[in-house]
Amino acid sequence: MAASTDVDNTAVSAPGGVPATGGTSEPASRLAAHNATIGYDDRVISDALTVDIPANSFTVILGPNACGKSTLLRALSRALKPRTGEIILDGKEITSYKSKEVARRMGLLPQSPLAPEGIRVADLVSRGRHPYQSLFQQWRTSDEQAVADALAATRVTELSGRLVDELSGGQRQRVWLSMLLAQQTPIMLLDEPTTFLDIAHQYELLELLRSLHGQGKTLVAVLHDLNQAARYASHLIVMKDGRIVTTGAPAEVITTDLVRDVFDLRCVVAPDPVTGTPAVFPLPPDHPDITSAEPTA
């Protein structure tokens, strides 16, 4: 979708049916909000909001603090019910699914999750397999392997016997991501997943997400770093004051005008010397404007 500075409130019908397999084409959007009004108690955060998450995309939601990014993510995950409108998952209203069915299709890494007191890392990560357990289907070898693979992917295998309470903030964040990976869902929602991580682990996590995207997963993440978003995302959603300002590919969306209008930041946008994606360079308050060499692809 080409970038636009207008709010798009036009509802787009989601394709019907369950995600296709084999030779059948995937739906254009597996997850969407249609004319959704969302908020907390008496406070409306977003009114009549419509947005689609492209299937198999790495979508990043950007915007200034308190603009509604996390609220939108919670609504998409079914953690927050819209007052009006609907959330569509694989062609059906999300509330029509049973909880375990949603959890087999979509996983959420929320902000600042809380672990039960006294739980060990391996036990917490194992909880990612809960959607696949039932009275007649208990723990299997495939569950054990999913947990082992998730621990290895986030490099926390050596922490598996430790108490979660004993870990640093960055270690805990990697453990929570490991639990999400153990859930093995085709759609993953992540609210500020780089929180508490040092810069090396931030990029390690983003490279892992890039790899998962390359395997066909649909990812939706809230990030604050514009340059990380531009480098890793295939699709951006930019919000301000609860509205969708624009959506599209990073090269279309990240411009000096958008950064100034949405984030109140004067900057230069130029190609990242490594990836060629847009990179934002803030200007000092007393520095004259500079014409940006914005990416064309």
Side-chain angles (χ1 to χ4, degrees):
M1 181 185 296
S4 165
T5 56
D6 296 326
V7 180
D8 181 7
N9 285 324
T10 304
V12 179
S13 297
V18 181
T21 58
T24 308
S25 61
E26 289 283 341
S29 173
R30 296 194 61 179
L31 185 62
H34 288 173
N35 203 35
T37 296
I38 50 181
Y40 304 96
D41 297 324
D42 295 330
R43 184 184 175 202
V44 172
I45 304 298
S46 294
D47 185 38
L49 184 147
T50 289
V51 66
D52 290 86
I53 306 300
N56 309 117
S57 68
F58 187 171
T59 293
V60 169
I61 306 173
L62 291 170
N65 290 337
C67 72
K69 302 183 299 294
S70 295
T71 302
L72 171 58
L73 198 74
R74 293 193 69 211
L76 291 172
S77 73
R78 204 169 83 163
L80 181 64
K81 184 178 180 180
R83 301 181 184 192
T84 62
E86 57 186 5
I87 304 299
I88 301 297
L89 173 62
D90 289 334
K92 294 169 57 179
E93 217 287 325
I94 197 168
T95 57
S96 68
Y97 294 101
K98 294 181 178 180
S99 295
K100 278 195 174 183
E101 190 171 1
V102 172
R104 288 192 291 267
R105 294 169 183 256
M106 180 169 62
L108 170 67
L109 176 65
Q111 282 190 47
S112 305
L114 296 176
E117 186 176 353
I119 194 169
R120 297 189 182 277
V121 167
D123 294 329
L124 181 63
V125 175
S126 296
R127 293 192 174 199
R129 302 304 298 166
H130 175 71
Y132 305 96
Q133 309 300 309
S134 70
L135 181 63
F136 304 104
Q137 185 166 289
Q138 298 299 312
W139 194 260
R140 299 164 299 171
T141 303
S142 58
D143 297 312
E144 195 71 39
Q145 188 61 52
V147 170
D149 291 345
L151 289 166
T154 55
R155 301 191 184 216
V156 292
T157 302
E158 70 280 4
L159 303 176
S160 61
R162 296 271 302 277
L163 292 172
V164 175
D165 294 341
E166 297 176 349
L167 304 180
S168 69
Q171 289 173 325
R172 283 197 300 271
Q173 189 74 348
R174 289 157 60 199
V175 169
W176 283 109
L177 178 62
S178 185
M179 188 181 80
L180 180 62
L181 292 177
Q183 198 172 332
Q184 293 185 323
T185 57
I187 304 172
M188 298 171 61
L189 310 182
L190 306 101
D191 196 353
E192 300 186 25
T194 55
T195 299
F196 304 119
L197 299 180
D198 60 45
I199 190 166
H201 283 112
Q202 286 181 29
Y203 280 94
E204 182 180 87
L205 180 147
L206 290 167
E207 288 293 340
L208 173 60
L209 296 181
R210 189 208 293 272
S211 174
L212 294 169
H213 174 226
Q215 295 168 27
K217 289 186 182 290
T218 298
L219 308 179
V220 188
V222 171
L223 294 178
H224 282 288
D225 191 304
L226 298 180
N227 292 337
Q228 289 180 346
R231 177 178 282 201
Y232 288 95
S234 63
H235 182 76
L236 298 179
I237 297 171
V238 181
M239 299 185 68
K240 183 177 183 180
D241 299 328
R243 302 177 297 112
I244 305 296
V245 176
T246 188
T247 66
E252 300 171 328
V253 168
I254 302 296
T255 66
T256 54
D257 288 344
L258 178 124
V259 175
R260 181 193 63 236
D261 294 344
V262 173
F263 297 93
D264 194 25
L265 178 69
R266 294 169 59 248
C267 70
V268 175
V269 175
D272 184 307
V274 176
T275 63
T277 53
V280 175
F281 300 92
L283 294 175
D286 57 350
H287 199 287
D289 289 340
I290 299 176
T291 302
S292 293
E294 292 167 2
T296 59

